[in-house]
Amino acid sequence: MSETYDPSSLPDLLPIYYKKLFPYGPYYRWLNYGGVPKTYFNHREFSFTLKDDVYIRYQSFSDQQELEKEIQRRCPYKIDIGAVFSHRPKDHKTVKAAAFHAQEKELVFDIDMTDYDDVRNCCSGADICSKCWPLMKIAIQIIDRALREDFGFQHLLWVYSGRRGIHCWVCDDIARKLSQNGRSAIAEYLSVVKGGEHQTRKVTLDDIIHPSIRKSLDIVEKAFKDYAVDKQDFLGNEERQTKLSEDFKSGSNSKVWWAIIQKREKDIREKKKYKDCQNVTREIMLQYCYPRLDVNVSTGVNHLLKSPFCVHPKTGRICVPIDPEKVDEFDPEDVPLISQLIEELNKTDSTDDTSKRGKDYKRTSLSSCVQVFENFLKKLENSWKGKLQEQSDLKMEF
Amino acid sequence: MEIITKSKARRNRHNIKKEQDTLSHPLQFYKIPPSDTISLQKFEEYAIERLKVLKAVENAGVKFIKGTQNYKDHLEKEIRKTHFKGILRVPFIEVLDLVRSRKVYLVDGYAFVPRDDMISILLTHYRAHLSHSLAITCRALPHLEEDDRLLPMLCGLSKRYIGEDYGNKKSTVGEITADMIDMLSKQSFPLCMQQLHQSLRQNHHLRHGGRQQYGLFLKGIGLSLEEALKFWKNEFTKAIDGDKFDKQYSYNIRHNYGKEGKRADYTPYSCVKIIMSNPPGPGDFHGCPFKHTDPDLLAQKLRSMSLSKDAVDSVVNYAKEGHYQVACQHYFAVTHSNFEDDININHPNGYFEESRRFLNPDKGNMNKSQLGTPRTNRNPVKMEGTPISQLASQTQPSQDSTVGDFDDMGDNDLMDIAMETDAESDKKSS
Ligand code: SF4
Ligand SMILES: [Zn+2]
């Protein structure tokens, strides 16, 4: 099995991937939402990024066949999913600008490792490794819990972005219909780490900690020592100490430390400062580990987000769904590479030529990833059935 | 909202009687708009009176945060009317501002709202109604255009009583070029913009929030689109290649100049907006340094600019107490030697213009007459004595457009227009 990927081979690999492996069936079933309303799929915007960064917006397709045909014809390096519009996006030039507007979209979250650069010492920018990936696990656990338990959402699709982050698509009816104001309210409810480059203390807890943050703290507390102390050695040198508190700045010999400890105790004794101190360790843990959301991405109904099952052009990894319940088992290093999938396909190709078109992924390691997607989809479809049932029951009563 | 002076009332008693039948309440909070004929002059009078009241309400909100006793009584009466008691369980969507600030307990999509916060529910309904009506009004605008007297008046109205918005004024565009910015930033930029300028020069990059705050400010001081593209490209391409810049960043710059997307002409952010919405996060350099910098760091920074100890102390103290704009005024005074006038800072571009006028009196006067804006109108809200933090609950966070987010005018855009009654409005439909 090949474990390497060469970005220059992408133009050769993509046509095969889109022809044999991309899971069009489940993908269409997702975005069609049971065909209610009928126009839901064909009013949906897709955008393609082609070779050499050629970017085309406002693509839309009438059905699965047209989608398949277009993706295979264009072989996009990247596919983005946008909003469901008032008209078919491909007709947007023929509609008056004022009438053409975004109506619905999944509520989405984008968590990107680059936003954690000040609290990870192993890598920076687009790089990730096993020492910092735990941050993403914590993020999934916290956001997933809050969205389900606090907001009552049920249909969350978590996706690896192919390189350094994760996305979450909240697909419940209410979520898709949220206004911009509703989206930003939820995103802010979920944002705890605040403060720019000129503020060292980035988390401030109230005296009475909100129940939702308490639950987040439970999650962070379990992971903190392993992440910050063992993996990151977060107070390992003077620079790291300064990042945490200006108090450390004057150096870290015993004399200074002793002075700091004494000052802390004095502060605590003077009642006034007590409040400031009681949450110190909690605030530090949240500052290091609490998920950092890109609020801009969540807020706009019209914001485009990279589609699941795209290929990341630089890493060659597939943007596969993540099962939030098995987040500990997910390792970005194990995510299938496009080159690897195609090799797997070639190996089995000769032995099995009866395979049905579109089911070829079952013969590759993409299969388990599509299974995660199918599980999400089944629950979603059951909820429609429930609704249809409810509706017909209502009719019966009259 | 109709404010009638005594003499005017006497003169117009008949008219008013008739109007009150349709308007029923002196505040003119009607659900169904009146449809009678009205003279253009009268309309303008009413409009101005109305603006004055809005302004007064806003000022009152600045001065007495939770309101006077009367104000409270009124709210309570409203809440009583709804017959709610104790804690109410409502879908979270009904109390978004409480959700946003984590003031409610959420379980399974329902918010448990304490009695004291029930006003939020009313607010939601009022907003929905307002936004709906604005949408209808907006659709009616094309008809108004047929009368070429009304629209220009409506457009000019907000400027007359609300203060300067520092949009791209014809008379100043092109006066500033990219190569002047280094020098100007040292002489005349408020601290927030100095800070953005320095980190841009240092990192050859600014994140979205910083690009918006700084970019629109530069536009406001008269940097043309061409010069702006040159300025940003010059700096960014020290870290990335030009091709990438053109693809990723130039769209947004043109967008801010109203050349892309819905072609709205964006105006620079006011202090209130900078201080209260979109706070900086990790990696961000935008915001107001008097609010968004740790006091120790602020002091250190000011000392490094060789301000006297007294000056540093007084600026930092104002900042600590939450008087960010007063701190900024002080900073202005101590960095412009022999400055004796009394100024109010409520807009970074106002800061800049005051500074230019002071350093360069002749040219300043010329500008002033060209602009035709009396100085006093620039300072609609006096911030002294009110910690701005208390205002936070009253302002909507900004809804900045980003790349890939344009071409639609949703409820929220309309809301912004309604909610932002002073110079903080960042979008001006063109
Ligand atoms: S008060 Fe206004 S002008 Fe002064 S630094 Fe803050 S935001 Fe800038
Ligand atoms: Zn790492």
Side-chain angles (χ1 to χ4, degrees):
Chain A
M1 194 189 292
S2 145
E3 279 299 332
T4 52
Y5 161 76
D6 171 10
S8 66
S9 64
L10 193 62
D12 300 328
L13 301 177
L14 274 177
I16 311 172
Y17 177 75
Y18 284 132
K19 193 144 182 65
K20 303 212 154 206
L21 295 172
F22 192 94
Y24 295 102
Y27 189 77
Y28 173 77
R29 267 157 59 216
W30 168 38
L31 292 172
N32 192 40
Y33 286 96
V36 183
K38 273 214 173 64
T39 54
Y40 216 74
F41 183 77
N42 58 42
H43 284 195
R44 168 82 74 166
E45 178 189 359
F46 293 85
S47 84
F48 291 166
T49 308
L50 309 180
K51 197 168 177 285
D52 299 322
D53 276 343
V54 175
Y55 185 50
I56 38 176
R57 277 199 69 173
Y58 298 121
Q59 307 284 295
S60 62
F61 314 105
S62 50
D63 52 25
Q64 185 185 332
Q65 266 150 16
E66 200 189 343
L67 169 86
E68 259 184 82
K69 217 182 78 206
E70 277 304 295
I71 290 182
Q72 288 170 3
R73 186 171 73 85
R74 300 265 198 183
C75 279
Y77 274 42
K78 181 166 159 245
I79 302 171
D80 284 292
I81 300 178
V84 176
F85 280 82
S86 51
H87 301 75
R88 275 185 302 198
K90 65 175 161 197
D91 297 340
H92 81 283
K93 285 213 174 100
T94 64
V95 184
K96 265 195 196 148
F100 181 73
H101 59 272
Q103 287 177 319
E104 290 189 15
K105 201 193 64 189
E106 293 76 9
L107 168 65
V108 295
F109 296 97
D110 178 11
I111 305 169
D112 194 318
M113 199 72 98
T114 45
D115 291 327
Y116 290 84
D117 277 0
D118 59 323
V119 291
R120 52 186 191 137
N121 303 311
C122 46
C123 359
S124 66
D127 298 327
I128 56 159
C129 71
S130 61
K131 282 186 174 169
C132 50
W133 184 254
L135 287 170
M136 292 293 131
K137 290 187 186 171
I138 297 170
I140 294 177
Q141 288 172 317
I142 288 179
I143 303 294
D144 194 73
R145 187 213 63 77
L147 289 172
R148 286 178 206 272
E149 293 178 12
D150 299 359
F151 290 97
F153 295 131
Q154 293 174 18
H155 305 290
L156 312 189
L157 176 63
W158 286 95
V159 183
Y160 175 52
S161 76
R163 192 179 199 181
R164 59 186 182 202
I166 45 176
H167 299 154
C168 177
W169 300 75
V170 187
C171 304
D172 296 58
D173 216 39
I174 300 179
R176 283 182 277 135
K177 291 188 162 60
L178 277 171
S179 65
Q180 193 162 317
N181 193 29
R183 285 164 205 258
S184 76
I186 296 175
E188 281 183 45
Y189 175 91
L190 295 172
S191 300
V192 171
V193 184
K194 288 170 178 167
E197 284 298 296
H198 299 287
Q199 285 151 299
T200 37
R201 180 179 176 186
K202 293 193 172 65
V203 177
T204 308
L205 290 175
D206 295 334
D207 295 344
I208 301 168
I209 301 176
H210 190 276
S212 177
I213 296 183
R214 274 197 181 278
K215 290 178 190 159
S216 303
L217 265 166
D218 290 344
I219 295 170
V220 171
E221 268 164 13
K222 278 191 204 117
F224 187 76
K225 188 176 165 291
D226 176 57
Y227 173 69
V229 181
D230 299 344
K231 290 205 164 71
Q232 298 287 340
D233 192 14
F234 81 122
L235 292 176
N237 62 35
E238 207 178 314
E239 190 202 333
R240 293 176 197 174
Q241 292 157 11
T242 319
K243 254 189 224 162
L244 180 67
S245 166
E246 287 294 304
D247 287 350
F248 291 118
K249 202 160 198 169
S250 31
S252 46
N253 60 41
S254 306
K255 215 169 128 196
V256 176
W257 273 98
W258 185 235
I260 291 172
I261 293 168
Q262 281 180 320
K263 181 170 166 272
R264 277 283 148 92
E265 197 192 47
K266 197 168 142 260
D267 285 351
I268 292 172
R269 256 198 238 116
E270 287 170 11
K271 263 231 169 104
K272 255 196 212 156
K273 291 259 182 162
Y274 176 68
K275 278 182 183 160
D276 260 8
C277 296
Q278 63 178 353
N279 286 324
V280 168
T281 54
R282 292 183 180 132
E283 286 172 354
I284 291 172
M285 286 191 283
L286 292 177
Q287 175 154 341
Y288 275 77
C289 294
Y290 191 89
R292 301 173 174 204
L293 304 174
D294 187 337
V295 175
N296 278 325
V297 173
S298 302
T299 301
V301 182
N302 203 355
H303 210 107
L304 295 142
L305 190 67
K306 181 150 52 141
S307 162
F309 295 105
C310 271
V311 183
H312 193 290
K314 294 234 168 66
T315 63
R317 301 220 183 259
I318 314 292
C319 304
V320 295
I322 302 173
D323 181 347
E325 276 169 23
K326 296 190 183 143
V327 64
D328 279 329
E329 294 163 28
F330 185 88
D331 181 349
E333 299 272 314
D334 292 344
V335 170
L337 294 161
I338 184 172
S339 46
Q340 166 198 343
L341 291 177
I342 284 164
E343 218 177 291
E344 288 171 9
L345 198 63
N346 288 337
K347 274 194 188 141
T348 53
D349 217 14
S350 47
T351 59
D352 176 16
D353 52 5
T354 55
S355 67
K356 277 186 222 134
R357 197 176 63 97
K359 297 279 185 196
D360 285 325
Y361 60 77
K362 296 221 158 137
R363 297 185 284 126
T364 69
S365 32
L366 194 61
S367 180
S368 62
C369 310
V370 177
Q371 195 51 50
V372 176
F373 189 50
E374 283 281 3
N375 294 343
F376 151 83
L377 204 52
K378 247 176 228 127
K379 277 190 207 140
L380 190 64
E381 286 174 333
N382 282 338
S383 75
W384 305 328
K385 278 188 198 127
K387 251 197 214 125
L388 290 176
Q389 194 68 43
E390 252 171 55
Q391 273 174 2
S392 61
D393 284 356
L394 274 177
K395 270 181 206 145
M396 299 281 280
E397 275 174 31
F398 289 107
Chain B
M1 243 165 279
E2 197 177 342
I3 305 290
I4 299 154
T5 58
K6 266 192 186 159
S7 62
K8 207 162 129 198
R10 235 174 278 128
R11 253 188 287 125
N12 295 339
R13 189 162 295 154
H14 290 295
N15 293 346
I16 285 160
K17 182 82 195 70
K18 196 175 146 235
E19 274 158 22
Q20 275 182 350
D21 291 340
T22 39
L23 304 180
S24 75
H25 191 283
L27 281 176
Q28 281 190 27
F29 265 174
Y30 38 71
K31 263 195 125 166
I32 303 159
S35 53
D36 291 346
T37 316
I38 186 167
S39 79
L40 201 59
Q41 193 196 351
K42 200 78 182 294
F43 178 78
E44 188 173 4
E45 269 173 36
Y46 282 172
I48 288 170
E49 295 296 348
R50 195 182 182 110
L51 268 176
K52 279 185 186 166
V53 173
L54 283 176
K55 199 73 228 162
V57 169
E58 195 172 278
N59 285 345
V62 169
K63 280 183 186 125
F64 322 101
I65 293 312
K66 290 273 167 171
T68 59
Q69 198 52 44
N70 287 345
Y71 182 58
K72 265 191 185 161
D73 288 348
H74 179 71
L75 291 188
E76 240 185 86
K77 225 166 60 200
E78 291 292 307
I79 295 172
R80 286 257 162 73
K81 271 190 217 152
T82 57
H83 301 294
F84 292 146
K85 280 219 172 66
I87 286 182
L88 192 71
R89 181 174 170 268
V90 295
F92 79 88
I93 249 167
E94 304 246 312
V95 285
L96 286 174
D97 41 342
L98 298 179
V99 170
R100 183 188 302 280
S101 52
R102 251 182 263 119
K103 282 202 188 114
V104 281
Y105 180 39
L106 287 181
V107 180
D108 231 11
Y110 286 90
F112 291 83
V113 185
R115 205 197 138 105
D116 285 352
D117 288 326
M118 281 179 196
I119 186 72
S120 172
I121 302 174
L122 292 179
L123 204 62
T124 304
H125 286 284
Y126 174 64
R127 273 203 191 127
H129 175 68
L130 185 64
S131 140
H132 178 71
S133 308
L134 276 166
I136 291 173
T137 312
C138 189
R139 252 168 258 147
L141 273 179
H143 298 293
L144 290 181
E145 255 169 66
E146 284 163 19
D147 188 334
D148 54 7
R149 298 165 302 170
L150 202 51
L151 216 53
M153 188 191 90
L154 280 172
C155 291
L157 208 55
S158 67
K159 284 231 183 71
R160 291 165 61 178
Y161 278 88
I162 299 303
E164 187 58 56
D165 66 6
Y166 301 100
N168 215 347
K169 284 165 297 204
K170 296 282 173 295
S171 58
T172 54
V173 181
E175 277 182 18
I176 308 285
T177 52
D179 50 359
M180 294 158 72
I181 295 177
D182 270 328
M183 182 267 292
L184 286 171
S185 78
K186 283 190 196 103
Q187 288 182 346
S188 295
F189 281 14
L191 203 54
C192 53
M193 301 303 167
Q194 284 181 46
Q195 184 171 293
L196 284 166
H197 186 74
Q198 280 159 13
S199 52
L200 172 66
R201 286 281 192 238
Q202 247 167 44
N203 308 323
H204 317 302
H205 183 261
L206 275 182
R207 286 160 54 109
H208 180 72
R211 294 199 303 272
Q212 287 297 103
Q213 181 177 325
Y214 193 35
L216 288 169
F217 168 80
L218 291 176
K219 174 183 165 186
I221 68 171
L223 195 71
S224 67
L225 174 60
E226 293 68 37
E227 287 294 314
L229 283 168
K230 192 165 122 195
F231 171 74
W232 290 100
K233 189 165 182 170
N234 238 329
E235 200 54 50
F236 270 53
T237 49
K238 286 174 187 162
I240 58 168
D241 63 49
D243 210 35
K244 192 164 176 206
F245 177 87
D246 291 340
K247 274 177 187 135
Q248 286 191 2
Y249 301 102
S250 66
Y251 178 92
N252 208 236
I253 296 167
R254 289 197 307 276
H255 189 253
N256 280 345
Y257 278 78
K259 297 284 183 269
E260 298 279 358
K262 63 184 158 209
R263 297 183 180 258
D265 195 3
Y266 292 81
T267 55
Y269 297 167
S270 68
C271 295
V272 175
K273 188 178 171 99
I274 292 171
I275 290 168
M276 298 202 300
S277 50
N278 188 26
D284 282 331
F285 292 89
H286 67 265
C288 169
F290 300 109
K291 174 171 171 132
H292 300 116
T293 304
D294 292 341
D296 296 349
L297 288 181
L298 180 64
Q300 191 185 317
K301 180 170 202 149
L302 294 172
R303 277 195 299 271
S304 76
M305 306 170 100
S306 56
L307 297 190
S308 75
K309 189 177 175 304
D310 282 354
V312 173
D313 285 351
S314 75
V315 171
V316 173
N317 273 334
Y318 276 119
K320 265 192 194 157
E321 282 162 24
H323 306 302
Y324 311 119
Q325 287 164 280
V326 183
C328 189
Q329 282 156 30
H330 251 75
Y331 174 80
F332 185 100
V334 295
T335 48
H336 292 72
S337 41
N338 302 323
F339 184 80
E340 273 157 11
D341 262 7
D342 201 17
I343 59 156
N344 263 327
I345 300 297
N346 49 47
H347 203 297
N349 290 83
Y351 184 111
F352 176 79
E353 286 188 8
E354 291 287 354
S355 172
R356 293 325 286 163
R357 195 172 293 139
F358 175 75
L359 297 172
N360 212 345
D362 298 340
K363 193 145 186 282
N365 282 336
M366 192 187 77
N367 265 347
K368 200 164 119 191
S369 60
Q370 274 179 355
L371 299 176
T373 322
R375 278 169 75 173
T376 45
N377 280 357
R378 293 255 170 79
N379 308 314
V381 185
K382 268 212 162 189
M383 285 299 171
E384 282 119 323
T386 311
I388 207 121
S389 52
Q390 293 179 13
L391 280 163
S393 59
Q394 302 179 352
T395 303
Q396 289 288 302
S398 66
Q399 319 272 4
D400 293 336
S401 282
T402 51
V403 182
D405 170 18
F406 46 91
D407 278 356
D408 66 324
M409 175 115 171
D411 274 1
N412 280 291
D413 301 84
L414 294 166
M415 289 272 307
D416 280 356
I417 297 169
M419 293 296 164
E420 299 182 19
T421 45
D422 79 348
E424 75 189 272
S425 114
D426 64 332
K427 291 166 201 173
K428 188 176 62 179
S429 292
S430 60

